[in-house]
Amino acid sequence: MKLSSRIRQLKPSATLAVDAKAKALRAQGVDVLNLSAGEPDFDTPEHIREAAKQALDQGFTRYLPAAGLPELREAVCFRLEQDYGLKYRPEEVLITCGAKQALYNLAQTLLDPGDEVLIFSPYWVSYPPIVELAGGVPVIVTGRPEKNFEPEPEEILARVSERTRGVILNSPSNPTGCIYSREFLSAVAEIVRQKDLWVISDDIYDRLRFDGQPPENILSVAPDLRPRVLLVNGVSKAYAMTGWRIGWAVGPEEIIKAATKLQGQSTSNATAFAQKAAVAALTGPQDCVERMRRAFAERAEFLYQALKQIPGVHPVRPQGTFYLFADFSGIYGRRTPSGREIRDSVSLAEYLLEEARVAAVPGVAFGEDRFLRLSFAQGLETLREAVSRIRQALEKLAHVP
């Protein structure tokens, strides 16, 4: 059977692949410490689970409008006003099966074959494939760690062509944990104005920042861009609801209606009782988010300080999310006890999984081969043990003469 060219060319998600391999080893009884998955280790808060149970008991299990439960669309508007001071109408909201589907729907809605989209590297692994599946062309603009991974505005402008349609922003960032500065967002906003671009702002980690500041995105510094900005978010990260698969896209009504039409011919509505749970998440007590945020901040600082002590490893201090991005290129060129050379992030990640039983994601999947991404969505004891194992495994590497 011949598969389509788009599927033959599509690469599997690197983060999901590493997570699956780690879980498979665990199922075989292997003691693997999984620092690959972007999934909080906390249970979904009780009041959210109770809302889902109540919805099930009331028989709330049938079809909903493709755009989502009106009550949840209103709750999204409520959260945006509370967190950002932005006022939207329910007609400008589409509820999706997770934030990833919101991104996919928007790419399919906005892009024609050959249209270009600016993506800043390091980037989340799914951005380029989502653009490519819509026939678009991802144009990668690389940032440097000493500059907070913020590309220079001149470098961004140089990559804009007649085919450039838009730009994807993600702050706090997966995989770096960095938060874009207001100065950088203002510079991007000016380019968007000059070149008549749209912006997809992936705000999925917006509540998980460690500087004590409220959520921000490009509309925080350039509210005039509202007609050009699509906001994407969901309940997965801030509320520990990864498996519930509830996300949303918010933006100009014309685009949201078009994306809703697409969803009506694909998944239809997201799961009914999960939408009821999401209403409880967005409108109920928010102290659960703060508890998790504080725990992640403590873990981030521990992991950063611990990795700094390992020769050849240069971590970037996380400003948010639950990821740490560390430069391991100082290790490259060494050989394992079996004689295999560590050449890149893939061979290093494979070695750490085999030797240290620690799962991490190769940085090449995010566009930066010098780095590995380590998730600290695990308890401090697990992180301590993981760092110890990594240190011991790296000490076994021999310098190549």
Side-chain angles (χ1 to χ4, degrees):
M1 181 180 293
K2 182 180 177 182
L3 299 176
S4 69
S5 59
R6 75 176 66 88
I7 290 299
R8 293 198 306 271
Q9 295 169 9
L10 182 65
K11 297 178 182 178
S13 167
T15 52
L16 294 181
V18 174
D19 182 48
K21 187 173 183 179
K23 289 177 178 176
L25 288 170
R26 275 185 173 177
Q28 297 169 19
V30 180
D31 179 24
V32 173
L33 303 181
N34 188 359
L35 306 190
S36 69
E39 183 168 47
D41 57 324
F42 298 97
D43 290 332
T44 302
E46 184 177 2
H47 71 281
I48 299 173
R49 287 181 277 131
E50 286 300 322
K53 293 175 186 177
Q54 184 177 1
L56 285 169
D57 289 343
Q58 293 175 349
F60 199 78
T61 58
R62 301 187 181 277
Y63 286 131
L64 296 177
L69 181 68
E71 183 184 1
L72 179 53
R73 295 163 77 188
E74 291 174 359
V76 170
C77 295
F78 168 78
R79 195 77 260 151
L80 282 169
E81 185 168 5
Q82 292 293 305
D83 293 343
Y84 291 89
L86 296 171
K87 292 187 178 182
Y88 281 90
R89 296 176 291 109
E91 292 78 14
E92 298 172 294
V93 179
L94 167 62
I95 304 302
T96 58
C97 300
K100 185 180 288 189
Q101 191 193 19
L103 293 163
Y104 183 88
N105 286 353
L106 292 175
Q108 294 289 330
T109 300
L110 294 168
L111 294 176
D112 281 322
D115 285 346
E116 296 176 354
V117 179
L118 300 176
I119 298 174
F120 301 152
S121 174
Y123 47 75
W124 181 48
V125 295
S126 291
Y127 292 149
I130 285 173
V131 169
E132 291 168 342
L133 285 169
V137 179
V139 176
I140 308 302
V141 188
T142 302
R144 293 181 289 277
E146 62 272 16
K147 293 280 190 177
N148 201 42
F149 291 107
E150 296 175 353
E152 296 293 340
E154 297 78 12
E155 295 173 355
I156 300 172
L157 267 174
R159 304 306 302 276
V160 177
S161 74
E162 293 181 355
R163 298 306 304 268
T164 305
R165 290 289 309 280
V167 58
I168 298 176
L169 298 175
N170 176 219
S171 175
S173 162
N174 174 7
T176 68
C178 291
I179 296 174
Y180 288 142
S181 66
R182 293 177 68 90
E183 292 76 16
F184 177 71
L185 291 175
S186 295
V188 173
E190 185 55 34
I191 294 171
V192 169
R193 294 187 192 97
Q194 289 180 19
K195 300 299 181 178
D196 192 24
L197 307 178
W198 47 254
V199 178
I200 292 179
S201 182
D202 182 354
D203 301 333
I204 192 68
Y205 299 98
D206 63 348
R207 306 283 297 281
L208 302 178
R209 52 188 294 163
F210 307 146
D211 59 1
Q213 297 301 310
E216 288 184 335
N217 57 32
I218 195 167
L219 291 181
S220 303
V221 300
D224 62 293
L225 293 184
R226 178 167 166 158
R228 304 169 186 254
V229 172
L230 287 307
L231 305 175
V232 171
N233 211 324
V235 295
S236 291
K237 311 299 184 179
Y239 298 97
M241 296 176 67
T242 51
W244 297 75
R245 308 316 303 138
I246 297 294
W248 52 82
V250 180
E253 185 174 353
E254 179 184 5
I255 296 175
I256 294 302
K257 281 186 175 180
T260 301
K261 181 170 65 173
L262 172 68
Q263 184 160 298
Q265 295 289 8
S266 56
T267 60
S268 299
N269 63 274
T271 303
F273 62 85
Q275 291 196 47
K276 279 286 191 179
V279 172
L282 297 180
T283 62
Q286 300 298 299
D287 55 324
C288 55
V289 179
E290 178 61 13
R291 284 197 300 271
M292 288 186 278
R293 187 198 66 80
R294 289 182 178 178
F296 290 138
E298 181 183 10
R299 298 172 187 181
E301 188 61 18
F302 165 78
L303 191 58
Y304 170 73
Q305 296 294 345
L307 289 174
K308 268 203 332 181
Q309 307 305 314
I310 301 178
V313 180
H314 301 284
V316 176
R317 177 180 259 131
Q319 299 168 314
T321 73
F322 34 74
Y323 308 112
L324 182 144
F325 214 43
D327 186 345
F328 281 81
S329 61
I331 306 298
Y332 297 174
R334 301 182 190 180
R335 291 194 183 277
T336 69
S338 64
R340 186 176 40 164
E341 184 177 354
I342 302 297
R343 297 179 177 273
D344 50 27
S345 61
V346 172
S347 57
L348 178 59
E350 290 174 347
Y351 171 70
L352 290 179
L353 184 57
E354 295 166 3
E355 180 66 31
R357 299 305 187 190
V358 174
V361 184
V364 68
F366 309 101
E368 181 47 90
D369 198 30
R370 296 174 297 169
F371 287 71
L372 295 182
R373 191 195 77 176
L374 304 171
S375 169
F376 47 88
Q378 301 286 343
L380 283 173
E381 289 305 313
T382 298
L383 296 177
R384 287 191 183 95
E385 176 64 19
V387 171
S388 175
R389 292 187 188 185
I390 290 171
R391 179 191 292 274
Q392 293 175 31
L394 296 182
E395 288 174 349
K396 295 178 181 179
L397 296 174
H399 290 276
V400 177

